Amino acid sequence: MPGDSGHDITMVTCTAPVNIAVIKYWGKRDEDLILPINSSLSVTLHQDQLKSTTTVACSPRFKEDRIWLNGKEENINQPRLQSCLREIRRLVRKRHIDGNVSSSALSSHHKVHICSVNNFPTAAGLASSAAGYACLVYALARLLGAEGELSEVARQGSGSACRSMYGGFVQWRMGTQPDGTDSVAQQVEPESHWPELRVLILVVSAERKPVGSTAGMETSVGTSSLLKHRAESVVPQRMEEMVRAIQQKDFAAFGELTMKDSNQFHATCLDTYPPIFYLNDVSRRIISMVHRYNQHCGETRVAYTFDAGPNAVIYTLQQHVPEFVELLKYFFPTETNGEFLKGLPVSSVTLPEDLTKAIGMEPLPGGIGYIISTKVGNTALRVLNPVCVL
Amino acid sequence: MPGDSGHDITMVTCTAPVNIAVIKYWGKRDEDLILPINSSLSVTLHQDQLKSTTTVACSPRFKEDRIWLNGKEENINQPRLQSCLREIRRLVRKRHIDGNVSSSALSSHHKVHICSVNNFPTAAGLASSAAGYACLVYALARLLGAEGELSEVARQGSGSACRSMYGGFVQWRMGTQPDGTDSVAQQVEPESHWPELRVLILVVSAERKPVGSTAGMETSVGTSSLLKHRAESVVPQRMEEMVRAIQQKDFAAFGELTMKDSNQFHATCLDTYPPIFYLNDVSRRIISMVHRYNQHCGETRVAYTFDAGPNAVIYTLQQHVPEFVELLKYFFPTETNGEFLKGLPVSSVTLPEDLTKAIGMEPLPGGIGYIISTKVGNTALRVLNPVCVL
């Protein structure tokens, strides 16, 4: 039994998904508590393609908290890791004090060892910290028996991590309380609400590591007057419109708003001083291709969004995936022998000649390294191996 | 004497300068009168390096108005050309009605032939329309004897043309009148006020023609909420700060505001739907290099600004030109045998090794096609050949 002996190792393994925002989070009103200057909304991706897996072990034998990321030990004293550990332990103590726990429960004083791995390259520039912190918080809570608003704890690890606590379509309400208790994630709709939605991740090789999002946000908040305006006057209405578009499964509205919000986020980065650029010429070609494709189709069939890097995330509906992937292969032919399309299989189709002509771009070999084909995730956090004692 | 015979050709040749905005004009509140949504401020460049030359001829023998641009006849019926011709003729008639003219003056009914050439390639993406319309309006006024607020007429050809009517530092006040009579250019300071200021035009080859500014502005006004905020809430204060920086010859303030305003203009282009991109990867490298250079120097010595294209215009002070040009040669080595540096001569210097190391970028051969070295222009419009009769 857990806690029975002074030499047992109790452990649990959980997984958590990546989420991709369609209304972007950029800028904090409180750096320590990670409280945002605006609400945001994201789509949780399926864990079959992208996930973080975290094992947390606890033992009276452990002398200190330690963490390994993708096999390499990292500094456990990072403030954000410490915030998560502290908050989880606080919830555990609260439960103990409330007497709402068996006497055999693990103590909040026990040290933990954390191992976290991603099934996707960190270099892909995907928001690995969101999945990672969501997973860590969930695993710690399962292991130590913490209860409460876990998205509030995950938020203190990495803001967008709170949105990885739920599946489907998730909003992070900015909240108004100074202590952040109302700055939490909520599911807008589950994945089953809109099963036709598909996601393509276009991995574009960046020439160098861009400005990190923590530093970038801080500079943006300090220098961009457009960001302030966006947060106060643009996003509140967009959140309402986005929730409505999702509820009504109105892809045109969903896609246009997604693209506009991605562009506005990058606009505020450019309005930052010194300016921050995350999009490169390949990103711009993808943007251009999407608009020309939609124009040719006479409707918004495909939408792009870009986070703090040059990789594109494409949202579209199931029936349009084969043609659009074919188009990507045509205009960004692969230069390597590696697998160009990973994830969910996509059937081949023949491109109509008038379509490639309408796009009218020069193909750019190697512009896109590879594509990950995935969909909306139905569950957020999963216990891969339940709590066990070694 | 002009007007004596029915077969005389009366002509005049004038030149006009290019101007480069440091507080950008983007967006009209009236498309026909070309009234802007915000005031703007520019530096008039010296005509030794960049100018438009326009010859206007008038004769009772001419059956219709005609125009040749760089040797090729163009359609005289373009609405903006027609606006300028109509407004100048209105001023001529007004003068005649007022009786403020000799009986031998040319009639406003006479048809004109216009020849306009630039001494710089149009492909360089410089604001040739500003110089061109300023020159046309001035030449027509000299030929036909029109008097009045010529910047108001030039504005109706191309908004920024009104700023090319003056030398030195020029503001275009947006005005408030619906008829545009107070939307005119004014000199803030003459060139002699700040003779140390230097200008480098870095000609970056664009992969394709971007969205034209007229169409771009219209889409931006219609779709970008950030542009509206910029025009209403950001620019008024920036205009005051910029005038103060110029009056005090405070290069750091002038340069920072110039860079911020260029970035904000491009941010509003990105916030346009569909987004407009004028900067490319080379533009971004130049931006990056400027910030690293200033950071290394511990002060703002160099500032960039970009109009509706990838070319950079660099402002700096005379004493910093040689080192910065050397740096450009180092990080953007020329690929051709052509002249890399045109215009005002620049002496060679040896780059300190710690400087190139501090910039820390990979050199990009051919990124910059060539550089035009110039300075602020002391006079705006010049009569090259006075009115004469052939």
Side-chain angles (χ1 to χ4, degrees), chain A residues 207-208 223 225-227 229-230 234 238 255-256 259-260 263-264 266-268 270-275 277 279-282 284-285 287-288 291-292 294 300 304, chain B residues 207-208 223 225-227 229-230 234 238 255-256 259-260 263-264 266-268 270-275 277 279-282 284-285 287-288 291-292 294 300 304:
Chain A
E207 61 196 29
R208 59 182 184 83
T223 62
S225 50
L226 299 187
L227 177 61
H229 176 73
R230 159 178 166 72
V234 180
R238 286 195 174 170
E256 275 168 40
M259 292 188 275
K260 284 180 182 174
N263 294 336
Q264 188 168 85
H266 292 280
T268 64
L270 185 43
D271 189 49
T272 298
Y273 188 81
F277 295 96
L279 305 179
N280 65 18
D281 281 352
V282 177
R284 291 216 300 276
R285 275 164 177 267
I287 289 175
S288 192
H291 285 292
R292 290 179 197 192
N294 288 336
T300 299
Y304 55 79
Chain B
E207 62 195 27
R208 59 182 181 85
T223 62
S225 48
L226 299 188
L227 177 61
H229 176 73
R230 160 179 166 73
V234 180
R238 285 195 175 170
E256 276 168 39
M259 291 188 275
K260 284 179 182 173
N263 294 336
Q264 188 168 85
H266 291 281
T268 63
L270 185 42
D271 188 50
T272 298
Y273 188 81
F277 296 96
L279 305 178
N280 66 18
D281 282 352
V282 176
R284 291 215 300 275
R285 275 164 178 265
I287 289 175
S288 195
H291 285 292
R292 289 179 196 192
N294 288 336
T300 299
Y304 54 78

Side-chain angles (χ1 to χ4, degrees), chain B residues 222-296:
Chain B
T223 62
S224 169
S225 48
L226 299 188
L227 177 61
K228 193 172 182 308
H229 176 73
R230 160 179 166 73
E232 288 171 4
S233 308
V234 180
V235 173
Q237 195 187 328
R238 285 195 175 170
M239 284 294 291
E240 285 176 26
E241 286 172 25
M242 187 56 93
V243 168
R244 208 178 311 130
I246 290 166
Q247 284 170 344
Q248 298 174 350
K249 297 194 274 186
D250 177 347
F251 187 81
F254 171 83
E256 276 168 39
L257 207 43
T258 295
M259 291 188 275
K260 284 179 182 173
D261 208 68
S262 172
N263 294 336
Q264 188 168 85
F265 152 52
H266 291 281
T268 63
C269 288
L270 185 42
D271 188 50
T272 298
Y273 188 81
I276 303 168
F277 296 96
Y278 289 121
L279 305 178
N280 66 18
D281 282 352
V282 176
S283 318
R284 291 215 300 275
R285 275 164 178 265
I286 294 168
I287 289 175
S288 195
M289 192 185 119
V290 167
H291 285 292
R292 289 179 196 192
Y293 180 65
N294 288 336
Q295 190 174 29
H296 179 77

Side-chain angles (χ1 to χ4, degrees), chain A residues 65-255:
Chain A
D65 295 328
R66 295 174 73 181
I67 188 165
W68 290 259
L69 295 183
N70 295 314
K72 187 173 162 284
E73 183 159 13
E74 301 282 340
N75 180 9
I76 192 79
N77 293 315
Q78 302 168 51
R80 292 168 166 217
L81 268 175
Q82 289 297 317
S83 294
C84 291
L85 287 166
R86 186 190 63 236
E87 290 302 305
I88 288 290
R89 285 177 171 136
R90 197 176 54 74
L91 291 174
V92 172
R93 277 196 304 277
K94 183 170 179 293
R95 209 171 156 215
H96 283 246
I97 291 164
D98 295 349
N100 186 17
V101 72
S102 72
S103 60
S104 65
L106 288 170
S107 159
S108 66
H109 298 296
H110 288 169
K111 299 298 179 189
V112 292
H113 284 186
I114 303 158
C115 271
S116 187
V117 290
N118 298 324
N119 69 342
F120 54 94
T122 308
L126 295 160
S128 56
S129 65
Y133 275 104
C135 204
L136 167 67
V137 167
Y138 188 62
L140 280 173
R142 293 297 292 237
L143 183 73
L144 302 174
E147 283 185 350
E149 180 54 62
L150 297 183
S151 86
E152 202 197 324
V153 182
R155 189 201 71 222
Q156 295 180 59
S158 174
S160 55
C162 70
R163 295 187 314 236
S164 273
M165 303 299 282
Y166 299 94
F169 303 84
V170 183
Q171 64 176 319
W172 172 14
R173 305 187 77 115
M174 63 177 289
T176 54
Q177 299 295 327
D179 65 356
T181 45
D182 59 349
S183 189
V184 295
Q186 278 180 341
Q187 190 179 64
V188 174
E189 291 288 349
E191 172 274 348
S192 56
H193 168 71
W194 202 355
E196 303 82 10
L197 198 67
R198 286 292 178 279
V199 182
L200 300 169
I201 296 161
L202 316 185
V203 179
V204 170
S205 26
E207 61 196 29
R208 59 182 184 83
K209 201 175 151 56
V211 178
S213 16
T214 304
M217 277 186 205
E218 203 175 335
T219 316
S220 290
V221 170
T223 62
S224 170
S225 50
L226 299 187
L227 177 61
K228 193 172 182 306
H229 176 73
R230 159 178 166 72
E232 288 171 4
S233 307
V234 180
V235 173
Q237 195 187 328
R238 286 195 174 170
M239 284 295 290
E240 286 177 26
E241 288 172 26
M242 186 58 93
V243 168
R244 207 178 311 132
I246 290 166
Q247 285 170 342
Q248 299 174 350
K249 297 194 272 186
D250 177 348
F251 186 82
F254 171 83

Side-chain angles (χ1 to χ4, degrees), chain A residues 33-54:
Chain A
L33 291 171
I34 310 194
L35 301 179
I37 59 170
N38 59 255
S39 298
S40 54
L41 202 151
S42 60
V43 177
T44 294
L45 303 192
H46 203 283
Q47 294 191 45
D48 279 359
Q49 283 74 46
L50 302 161
K51 66 167 182 261
S52 279
T53 304
T54 301

